[in-house]
Amino acid sequence: MSEIVIKKGELQTAVKLSMGIPEFKNPHPLQEYLNRLNNKSCLILIASLNEIPVGFKVAYERNDDGSLYSWMGGVLPKFRRKGIAQLLADGQEKWAKENNYLSIRFKTRNKHSKMLLFALGNGFQIVGVNKIGEVGDYRIVLEKKL
């Protein structure tokens, strides 16, 4: 029987997993993660299936407004549709509440309709649109109050 485990993990594992997410055309190198997370409250969650890392979520305190910024995350394609993304999202939300955050925010691109539907289904609301490039590349800003 397959066992999915979500736990805090290493940044290097998250970066390695990000390289296998096809939606990330140019995945960020480790240094970009280090630059963003430098001296900030952050959460790195790793999802494992039978002890094999298959997904991740990285969030950090980006603004000084009580929000947690869910920056990067994904599940390797062959492990999708098993509830792993939902477990990662639930784990992030639980941690955010335990650490007194008021909301979770993130951005996705307009062309990532599955991510938009996932977010809306999890109680996020669209709070902004950054019109950069073609319509499919517009950044959709979402927020969930906790």
Side-chain angles (χ1 to χ4, degrees):
M1 185 161 118
S2 299
E3 183 181 4
I4 301 167
V5 175
I6 308 295
K7 63 182 180 180
K8 289 184 180 179
E10 298 293 321
L11 187 55
Q12 291 83 353
T13 304
V15 173
K16 183 176 179 183
L17 284 164
S18 77
M19 301 297 170
I21 306 297
E23 292 83 357
F24 301 158
K25 298 295 182 204
N26 295 302
H28 297 292
L30 176 62
Q31 190 59 50
E32 179 64 22
Y33 283 80
L34 294 171
N35 291 344
R36 286 187 183 241
L37 304 179
N38 186 28
N39 296 320
K40 294 182 177 140
S41 175
C42 67
L43 174 66
I44 301 160
L45 290 178
I46 304 296
S48 297
L49 181 62
N50 298 326
E51 301 182 23
I52 298 168
V54 298
F56 75 103
K57 210 153 191 38
V58 176
Y60 65 96
E61 190 170 324
R62 183 177 185 182
N63 302 311
D64 191 23
D65 62 1
S67 68
L68 180 67
Y69 184 64
S70 183
W71 177 45
M72 296 297 295
V75 176
L76 297 174
K78 75 178 200 175
F79 298 101
R80 293 178 182 174
R81 307 205 53 82
K82 298 180 184 306
I84 296 169
Q86 187 64 58
L87 291 171
L88 284 163
D90 292 346
Q92 181 181 59
E93 185 172 325
K94 181 178 185 283
W95 184 87
K97 287 177 180 176
E98 289 171 351
N99 287 275
N100 302 312
Y101 286 96
L102 303 175
S103 65
I104 297 175
R105 290 188 189 142
F106 77 97
K107 287 188 278 189
T108 190
R109 294 181 190 231
N110 200 25
K111 63 185 169 189
H112 298 309
S113 57
K114 290 180 184 174
M115 186 66 221
L116 286 166
L117 292 171
F118 179 80
L120 294 171
N122 276 287
F124 282 82
Q125 294 184 323
I126 296 170
V127 296
V129 176
N130 298 328
K131 296 180 178 182
I132 300 171
E134 299 294 320
V135 173
D137 288 323
Y138 286 10
R139 275 59 162 191
I140 309 298
V141 183
L142 297 114
E143 179 178 47
K144 180 178 184 176
K145 301 286 184 190
L146 301 178

